[in-house]
Amino acid sequence: MLSIENKPDYSYQVRAVKRLAGYPRVAVSAVGKSLCGRCIYVVRIGHGEPRRLIAAGFHGMEYITVAAALRYAAELAAVGKRLRGSVAVAPCVNPDGTQIAVTTGKRWQANARGVDINHNFDANWQGVRQREIAAGITSPGPTRFGGSSPESEPETRALTDLCRRVRFDRVLALHSQGREIYWDFGKCTPPCCRELAEKMAEAGGYAVATPEPMALGGGFKDWFISEFHRCGYTVEMGLGKNPLPLSDLEAEYPRVRNILNVFVGENDLRII
Ligand SMILES: [Zn+2]
């Protein structure tokens, strides 16, 4: 049970990933550093293909996703010996922003420079910029500023470098909130992506969301789909107002676990 004392701040994350490193067939590495020098960790459970990636903690106030990702990684680690293929879990892509939100209570989504990581990926970045300007967002701040150029931020590059190196066959980004699953990025999207979105939605009691065309771009799943023409998903976990209280995790986690189990793949990445 999470309490106020173990909110998923940076020291909590470090302790959690180091604990996971002790399991067989689990490898922990830092794939980059944040602006303030915090490690961006990836926990890989299992070996080889198929290769999946689950990433969380893109937005500071969404630290409930960090706790959920760490818990799922721990559950996978416990069965890792019997897992076929591999699942990489990046529990906190934006450790500085998470630290700001967790320790100060500030309403903060961006990284330490005030750039929103999920507006910083190179997928219709100019279109996203136009929407930011229309919304009056023209400089760094707590949310929705996409940076000076695509991939200008070390946190964004840590993830894109990892994907270019590892060639995941599909990825999932955990955000909060809304109990919705996004799967589409226009023409680049393989036709099979919707089907898995529907299966995940059914497993968790979430809705498949179809965004307005104008709402597309800048995010990790958008970039992954356009770069690799493979499936990428955004799962908006929980229901309420960010930051969701960590006490919501106990009730919400079983839904998230069901969704992640479908994503990981009960057929081709089964526990053997
Ligand atoms: Zn988010």
Side-chain angles (χ1 to χ4, degrees):
M1 191 78 144
L2 282 162
S3 66
I4 301 299
E5 300 83 65
N6 52 20
K7 275 192 175 182
D9 67 353
Y10 186 63
S11 65
Y12 178 96
Q13 294 163 32
V14 173
R15 284 198 306 277
V17 298
K18 290 201 166 152
R19 216 164 29 235
L20 290 172
Y23 284 89
R25 286 169 58 87
V26 172
V28 172
S29 58
V31 294
K33 286 200 168 173
S34 68
L35 280 169
C36 298
R38 294 188 173 98
C39 289
I40 297 164
Y41 288 108
V42 170
V43 180
R44 193 197 70 220
I45 304 115
H47 289 299
E49 296 177 347
R51 295 186 171 94
R52 315 285 199 228
L53 172 69
I54 296 165
F58 288 82
H59 287 137
M61 285 195 292
E62 302 175 12
Y63 47 78
I64 193 169
T65 66
V66 177
L70 285 169
R71 186 179 293 194
Y72 191 68
E75 290 181 359
L76 281 184
V79 298
K81 234 178 151 179
R82 295 178 292 133
L83 206 65
R84 182 185 293 164
S86 59
V87 184
V89 180
C92 192
V93 173
N94 176 15
D96 297 346
T98 302
Q99 193 72 2
I100 292 167
V102 169
T103 60
T104 70
K106 256 188 177 173
R107 300 193 58 76
W108 192 267
Q109 295 283 60
N111 71 355
R113 183 151 48 199
V115 175
D116 190 321
I117 298 304
N118 223 43
H119 283 223
N120 191 237
F121 287 89
D122 193 6
N124 188 28
W125 185 87
Q126 287 295 350
V128 175
R129 169 49 54 92
Q130 292 310 312
R131 288 207 320 277
E132 291 164 11
I133 293 167
I137 297 163
T138 55
S139 58
T143 185
R144 290 190 293 159
F145 176 67
S148 55
S149 59
E151 293 194 30
S152 59
E153 304 309 298
E155 296 87 354
T156 314
R157 287 197 301 275
L159 213 47
T160 54
D161 288 351
L162 174 71
C163 290
R164 290 184 180 115
R165 202 166 61 239
V166 175
R167 299 284 169 151
F168 298 103
D169 56 283
R170 58 188 190 230
V171 302
L172 184 148
L174 214 47
H175 288 256
S176 70
Q177 50 77 43
R179 285 190 183 154
E180 288 184 323
I181 298 175
Y182 292 87
W183 60 277
D184 188 21
F185 190 61
K187 286 186 198 122
C188 309
T189 318
C192 56
C193 299
R194 186 185 185 117
E195 195 184 321
L196 190 69
E198 283 167 355
K199 282 184 185 160
M200 289 193 286
E202 196 187 336
Y206 279 31
V208 172
T210 314
E212 297 161 35
M214 280 296 286
L216 287 165
F220 174 55
K221 83 123 176 45
D222 307 322
W223 172 79
F224 185 83
I225 293 170
S226 66
E227 182 81 5
F228 300 108
H229 293 206
R230 292 177 175 184
C231 299
Y233 300 94
T234 293
V235 173
E236 295 282 356
M237 71 171 278
L239 212 50
K241 191 168 179 287
N242 283 328
L244 294 179
L246 286 165
S247 55
D248 281 10
L249 189 65
E250 293 309 312
E252 196 66 22
Y253 184 72
R255 293 171 181 270
V256 175
R257 177 203 284 129
N258 287 348
I259 289 168
L260 296 179
N261 281 344
V262 172
F263 169 77
V264 159
E266 283 151 320
N267 295 324
D268 44 1
L269 192 88
R270 58 186 172 268
I271 295 161
I272 50 175

